Amino acid sequence: MATCFWLRSCGARRLGSTFPGCRLHPRAGGLVPAPGPAPGPAQLRGYAGGLPGLSAALLRTDSFVGGRWLPAAATFPVQDPASGAALGMVADCGVSEARAAVRAAYEAFCSWREVSAKERSSLLRKWYNLMIQNKDDLARIITAESGKPLKEAHGEILYSAFFLEWFSEEARRVYGDIIYTPAKDKRALVLKQPVGVAAVITPWNFPSAMITRKVGAALAAGCTVVVKPAEDTPFSALALAELASQAGIPPGVYNVIPCSRKNAKEVGEAICTDPLVSKISFTGSTTTGKILLHHAANSVKRVSMELGGLAPFIVFDSANVDQAVAGALASKFRNTGQTCVCSNRFLVQRGIHDAFVKAFAEAMKKNLHVGNGFEEGTTQGPLINEKAVEKVEKQVNDAVSKGATIVTGGKRHHLGKNFFEPTLLSNVTQDMLCTHEETFGPLAPVIKFDTEEEAIAIANATDVGLAGYFYSQDPAQIWRVAEQLEVGMVGVNEGLISSVECPFGGVKQSGLGREGSKYGIDEYLELKYVCYGGL
Ligand code: NAP
């Protein structure tokens, strides 16, 4: 334990000298590149040129540690999921790079925590401004690496940048408390202090926003981060690093260590068990979240877990069908069904069932256009990889074998191995896989129900609870159902609920903690009680 205390003491700055090629920054006290050529496009390694017209400065392939672009001993390929075209070879970091990144983040933390909230705020704001200036290039990177339609990618970049803007504002609104205790000669103070270094692990489905939602809050609070992006989508994380550097975020405050899926387990373990790391912030599947929770338990670290969902979408008899169909399209088919808050199960009351299914099928045929995300008019891009397609196909086959009816779609799309047709199933029952396994694809299964109690029971019959949606025009029912759904977020007559101002997170096995909103920064702050006596 003594070693850990020493390691975690910001006074132990001599640690920096062990990081090869770096020296301590005179102002920030963190690691900066040793004197040498300035990083620039000439240092780009392995980029295959699959994204014509993009600013080369944003297309980074090395890791970003201590303010430096560093290659790794190996590289891994990144592909466009729509065409299969190679986009580039990216540094495949391993345990030693992960440890070095933690060390750099820790060194930087010792200074970053002392930077005034106003200055942290202004640096985050500069980062935000640069994201907005580069929004078109950033969106194209998202579409290239994730397949997301370009219009949605633009939406993600704004959503992502808004987290930096929001937390640049929140940075200056961290307040403590003074408490009057029964003792007349004492006052109790509550200070809020940054937690420390945060290990940030993110998924591919929002390659930019899932990073800034965490990092904006962390940096605003005075924490530093080591980001491990998903294997499929490292370019967005690295582009953010380039812009962080241009914004003047000090070296070591934002570090990115891309790695292949082969290395994810050991890199994840290295950063999540390192004694210099105080916080684990993860967005991804519940399965991976549980592994990381074990790491956190062994070294007693703070955690934020944004995990999987199985969102119910309930349509009651009193609902407005057109409104419900518009919400169903938005909540089910955004990012081709690959968001954690996508509706997974449609529960429709008997009286409105046939009208809803008919109108939903017509709206799907009219509004959903499968294609390459770069093509004008595409609303449904490819799934992230063939494994994802296999999962949807398996769920459809399972449902049909147990009596479900295909209303529209139902099979792979002719455009390529990663494409699947937007699919609507009716006559779905609760014994089918698609009702209890997160789909993460363009499949909408409809279950018919009779009573409100039955709908609530079906909706809550799962061990996860992220988002839930329902459509009703009955005010009393709206209150009842909103309160009874076992989820962290509810859309009432609304299919799009995410916003930087509102708390995002789940209950049950959908996670721990909240991101965004005025609550998000608390995940990166410790409360310290100071008893001030002798007054
Ligand atoms: P995932 O397999 O859990 O991967 C997420 C991240 O964890 C990736 O960076 C992945 O690296 C990494 N990872 C995988 N195994 C690891 C391990 N043993 N140790 C450390 N890191 C590890 O999830 P996904 O399939 O990419 O993403 C989809 C899931 O994320 C869905 O369940 C979805 O609901 C959830 N999600 C939740 C939210 C939310 O806010 N609640 C938001 C978006 C997505 P590799 O890429 O190299 O495998």
Side-chain angles (χ1 to χ4, degrees):
M1 278 308 287
T3 313
C4 294
F5 276 124
W6 181 79
L7 281 172
R8 269 172 121 149
S9 155
C10 277
R13 293 193 177 187
R14 59 191 174 280
L15 283 172
S17 60
T18 62
F19 190 70
C22 293
R23 60 180 166 75
L24 293 178
H25 189 284
R27 178 171 61 84
L31 293 163
V32 295
Q43 283 193 353
L44 287 178
R45 244 172 294 266
Y47 174 58
L51 290 172
L54 282 188
S55 136
L58 289 181
L59 286 169
R60 295 292 186 169
T61 53
D62 287 341
S63 65
F64 185 70
V65 173
R68 298 187 76 197
W69 294 102
L70 299 174
T75 56
F76 66 95
V78 181
Q79 291 177 340
D80 170 357
S83 63
L87 298 176
M89 300 297 293
V90 173
D92 194 0
C93 294
V95 170
S96 63
E97 286 89 353
R99 292 206 178 111
V102 168
R103 187 64 59 93
Y106 186 74
E107 289 289 336
F109 171 64
C110 296
S111 320
W112 183 245
R113 62 179 299 167
E114 305 298 337
V115 170
S116 73
K118 188 170 186 324
E119 194 176 342
R120 289 201 300 265
S121 164
S122 114
L123 288 168
L124 281 169
R125 180 82 200 189
K126 283 183 188 155
W127 199 5
Y128 159 76
N129 288 339
L130 284 167
M131 280 194 77
I132 298 297
Q133 279 169 30
N134 290 277
K135 64 181 173 14
D136 293 343
D137 279 351
L138 292 170
R140 289 173 66 81
I141 291 174
I142 289 182
T143 296
E145 65 183 356
S146 77
K148 184 177 290 196
L150 195 54
K151 196 170 167 209
E152 281 194 42
H154 274 114
E156 179 180 345
I157 287 302
L158 290 183
Y159 182 50
S160 176
F162 290 158
F163 281 111
L164 298 184
E165 181 192 43
W166 172 260
F167 285 112
S168 78
E169 292 157 357
E170 289 299 287
R172 299 177 67 189
R173 319 226 186 286
V174 174
Y175 305 104
D177 285 308
I178 298 177
I179 301 168
Y180 290 86
T181 72
K184 284 194 176 141
D185 62 342
K186 293 181 194 166
R187 297 288 181 273
L189 313 178
V190 179
L191 314 183
K192 289 191 180 174
Q193 297 186 313
V195 168
V197 176
V200 168
I201 301 180
T202 53
W204 48 266
N205 65 340
F206 286 90
S208 181
M210 292 305 96
I211 294 176
T212 56
R213 197 164 74 176
K214 298 172 185 307
V215 171
L219 268 54
C223 298
T224 58
V225 297
V226 175
V227 178
K228 190 216 90 60
E231 180 198 60
D232 298 305
T233 56
F235 285 118
S236 294
L238 295 168
L240 281 173
E242 171 59 33
L243 297 180
S245 174
Q246 288 179 21
I249 304 279
V253 170
Y254 176 79
N255 305 278
V256 184
I257 45 164
C259 73
S260 64
R261 195 151 286 141
K262 175 174 65 66
N263 285 358
K265 184 167 175 274
E266 57 186 28
V267 165
E269 184 168 353
I271 58 175
C272 293
T273 57
D274 195 303
L276 293 181
V277 169
S278 304
K279 160 98 191 177
I280 300 170
S281 183
F282 173 69
T283 296
S285 63
T286 301
T287 306
T288 305
K290 288 178 184 175
I291 295 170
L292 303 186
L293 282 167
H294 276 287
H295 295 330
N298 285 339
S299 49
V300 190
K301 296 190 197 308
R302 289 270 299 268
V303 293
S304 293
M305 293 280 148
E306 295 289 348
L307 309 177
L310 199 73
F313 185 107
I314 310 172
V315 186
F316 289 105
D317 279 345
S318 70
N320 174 311
V321 174
D322 292 341
Q323 230 181 38
V325 166
L329 275 180
S331 81
K332 174 68 246 183
F333 292 103
R334 192 156 68 109
N335 200 12
T336 319
Q338 301 171 109
T339 87
C340 54
V341 290
C342 274
S343 297
N344 211 87
R345 306 166 287 158
F346 288 80
L347 317 179
V348 186
Q349 202 158 12
R350 187 172 297 276
I352 199 172
H353 176 274
D354 293 354
F356 174 82
V357 170
K358 183 167 176 284
F360 193 14
E362 281 166 7
M364 283 172 61
K365 286 178 199 154
K366 186 169 162 217
N367 296 298
L368 302 180
H369 306 290
V370 180
N372 184 307
F374 281 112
E375 281 164 17
E376 184 80 26
T378 293
T379 65
Q380 302 290 284
L383 298 193
I384 191 67
N385 50 40
E386 201 172 4
K387 214 171 135 213
V389 172
E390 282 164 11
K391 188 177 186 189
V392 182
E393 191 172 44
K394 185 175 164 206
Q395 288 193 0
V396 171
N397 291 342
D398 167 79
V400 170
S401 75
K402 290 172 181 162
T405 306
I406 296 175
V407 182
T408 180
K411 57 184 191 306
R412 289 175 184 240
H413 196 279
H414 62 80
L415 269 181
K417 65 184 169 66
N418 292 345
F419 290 88
F420 202 89
E421 294 176 346
T423 299
L424 179 61
L425 298 179
S426 63
N427 294 321
V428 170
T429 48
Q430 284 185 82
D431 57 335
M432 299 174 186
L433 269 182
C434 58
T435 65
H436 49 87
E437 186 185 83
E438 193 181 26
T439 304
F440 243 58
L443 166 60
V446 179
I447 302 174
K448 198 185 282 179
F449 70 87
D450 287 300
T451 66
E452 181 183 308
E453 293 70 26
E454 190 189 349
I456 299 281
I458 297 172
N460 289 343
T462 166
D463 55 12
V464 292
L466 191 59
Y469 309 85
F470 66 93
Y471 280 70
S472 165
Q473 300 293 328
D474 173 349
Q477 181 175 56
I478 287 174
W479 275 110
R480 278 195 308 272
V481 177
E483 290 182 2
Q484 286 176 45
L485 282 180
E486 294 171 358
V487 293
M489 297 169 284
V490 181
V492 181
N493 297 324
E494 180 55 61
L496 291 176
I497 56 175
S498 303
S499 157
V500 299
E501 292 82 3
C502 303
F504 195 104
V507 300
K508 298 174 161 177
Q509 294 189 26
S510 284
L512 298 165
R514 292 294 179 270
E515 293 190 331
S517 79
K518 67 173 182 173
Y519 306 104
I521 198 166
D522 293 339
E523 302 282 326
Y524 297 89
L525 290 167
E526 290 284 13
L527 295 185
K528 182 184 278 179
Y529 157 51
V530 177
C531 183
Y532 193 158
L535 299 177

